[in-house]
């Protein structure tokens, strides 16, 4: 195993998202999706890890394990349960979490939107509706008031995957499909829903401006899902087209931001006949992805090539596995690739592992990404060896 050393002040922590760990997110669109009679999801999120109530215990774990940062999301569906109607209790809840992190010496990295939205937003047309931009900014203007002491805020998690989800939902609702022509045959992801993409991008820019107007010191960015796209001879054009469609156009929107989040898990290779998948099935992770530990380093290099000198933070990287030794091996390779990127002069400010807890993986609890296991009935947390190993690396990082 490599010895991992990172510079003083390097953010080194874990990532989570509200819907995946809080439980009973009943006013969100995902809860509605999970309970729809024709739902495609294997199981509902239910109580998740009950982190809505156990966030203090979770923050204790983050600190005790040796991490210095915790990325979590605040839930729009709880903060604005009906149009323009705020829940001051929900705002106080998230404010308490931020205080809880600061009191423990943990840097809170706050995501304002992580895939979920209030049901009323969905009923009004979700991101395909042009008003979605103002709806989101209205929520953000309220939320920014609880962010004292926070340095890094992400407006929207994985706008590129959000665009793909919007397309899937749009198709499910039986709408016409003008995006069909943008699809790249054989590619692992369909083209994002263009009508939604336009508004998601506008929402990011408007939210960023609103946050900066209220809190010029806040470092604002968003987090982009890196697909780590490469080609063998003959696949270059398809690879470039796919990269532009699902990733690069979003990264180009980051060039005026304070930072960009890089989220990477695996890679995608194209050849003359399109997408290539020749990794043996029994080596794939529990999400069915290729085991490719150096993906994150490759993602950082690709991102830097587009965003230039915008600082990067790895806001997600991890592996769905029930073999914790494999989690350590994967993360060991991932950290070496981050270190190599730093050594080559890339401006990488942090590494936040996905995820602190085994959680709701958008339809199922089976793909376990957690450093910490969670009993689904007692919610008892059990620290895995990978958590101690990774936290030990965090402990070795000097403060700035
Ligand atoms: C998302 C997380 C998700 C993870 C693993 C990212 O796409 O931001 O919510 O759990 O990847 O699939």
């Amino acid at each position: 195993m490599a010895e991992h050393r990172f510079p003083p002040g390097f953010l080194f922590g874990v990532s989570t998202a509200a819907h995946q760990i809080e439980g009973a997110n009943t006013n969100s669109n995902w809860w509605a999706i999970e309970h729809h009679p024709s739902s495609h999801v294997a199981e509902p999120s239910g109580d998740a890890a009950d982190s809505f109530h156990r966030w203090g215990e979770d923050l204790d774990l983050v600190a005790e394990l040796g991490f210095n940062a915790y990325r979590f999301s605040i839930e729009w569906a709880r903060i604005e349960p009906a149009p323009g109607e705020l829940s001051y209790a929900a705002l106080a809840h998230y404010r308490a979490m931020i205080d809880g992190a600061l009191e423990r010496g943990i840097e809170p990295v706050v995501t304002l939107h992580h895939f979920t939205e209030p049901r009323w937003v969905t009923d009004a047309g979700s991101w395909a509706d042009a008003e979605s931009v103002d709806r989101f900014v209205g929520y953000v203007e309220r939320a920014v008031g609880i962010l004292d002491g926070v340095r890094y805020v992400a407006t929207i998690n994985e706008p590129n995957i959000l665009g793909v989800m919007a397309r899937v939902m749009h198709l499910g609702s039986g709408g016409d499909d003008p995006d069909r022509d943008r699809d790249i045959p054989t590619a692992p992801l369909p083209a994002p829903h263009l009508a939604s993409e336009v508004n998601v991008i506008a929402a990011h820019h408007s939210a960023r401006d609103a946050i900066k107007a209220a809190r010029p010191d806040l470092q604002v960015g968003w987090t982009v899902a890196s697909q780590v796209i490469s080609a063998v001879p003959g696949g270059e054009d398809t690879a470039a087209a796919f990269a532009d469609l699902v990733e690069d156009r979003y990264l180009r929107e980051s060039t005026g931001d304070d930072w960009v989040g890089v989220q990477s898990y695996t890679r995608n290779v194209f050849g003359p006949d399109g997408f290539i998948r020749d990794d043996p099935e029994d080596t794939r992770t529990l999400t069915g992805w290729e085991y490719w530990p150096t993906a994150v380093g490759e993602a950082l290099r690709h991102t830097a090539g587009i965003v230039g000198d915008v600082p990067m933070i790895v806001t997600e990287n991890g592996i769905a596995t029930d073999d914790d030794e494999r989690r350590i091996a994967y993360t060991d390779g991932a950290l070496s690739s981050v270190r190599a990127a730093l050594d080559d002069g890339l401006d990488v400010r942090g590494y936040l592992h996905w995820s602190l807890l085994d959680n709701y993986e958008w339809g199922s609890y089976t793909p376990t990404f957690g450093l910490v296991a969670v009993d689904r009935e007692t919610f008892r947390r059990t620290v895995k060896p990978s958590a101690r190993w990774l936290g030990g690396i965090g402990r070795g990082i000097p403060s700035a």
Side-chain angles (χ1 to χ4, degrees), residues 23 65 93 135 249 252 287 337:
L65 286 168
H93 170 87
R135 289 185 193 113
R249 60 178 62 219
R252 287 195 290 271
T287 38
S337 76

Side-chain angles (χ1 to χ4, degrees), residues 310-379:
V310 176
M312 299 178 285
I313 299 174
V314 175
T315 37
E316 286 184 27
N317 169 252
I319 175 174
T321 179
D322 48 21
D323 173 353
D324 200 50
E325 277 178 32
R326 202 173 193 224
R327 185 181 331 280
I328 294 176
Y330 174 92
T331 310
D332 181 48
L335 291 179
S336 295
S337 76
V338 172
R339 182 68 249 188
L342 274 164
D343 291 342
D344 286 345
L346 271 70
D347 189 353
V348 189
R349 303 282 172 95
Y351 173 89
L352 308 177
H353 190 82
W354 185 271
S355 184
L356 174 65
L357 305 171
D358 284 342
N359 61 45
Y360 186 62
E361 178 56 23
W362 307 110
S364 163
Y365 280 96
T366 306
T368 39
F369 278 94
L371 297 167
V372 175
V374 179
D375 184 291
R376 295 282 318 286
E377 286 180 16
T378 64
F379 307 108

Side-chain angles (χ1 to χ4, degrees), residues 3 13 28 79 127 134 146-147 183 194 204 215 235 241 252 270 297 323-324 335 344:
E3 197 187 332
S28 70
I79 291 174
W127 289 106
D134 287 347
I146 61 160
L147 299 181
D183 279 339
L194 188 55
H204 169 61
R215 284 276 314 278
R252 287 195 290 271
F270 287 84
D323 173 353
D324 200 50
L335 291 179
D344 286 345

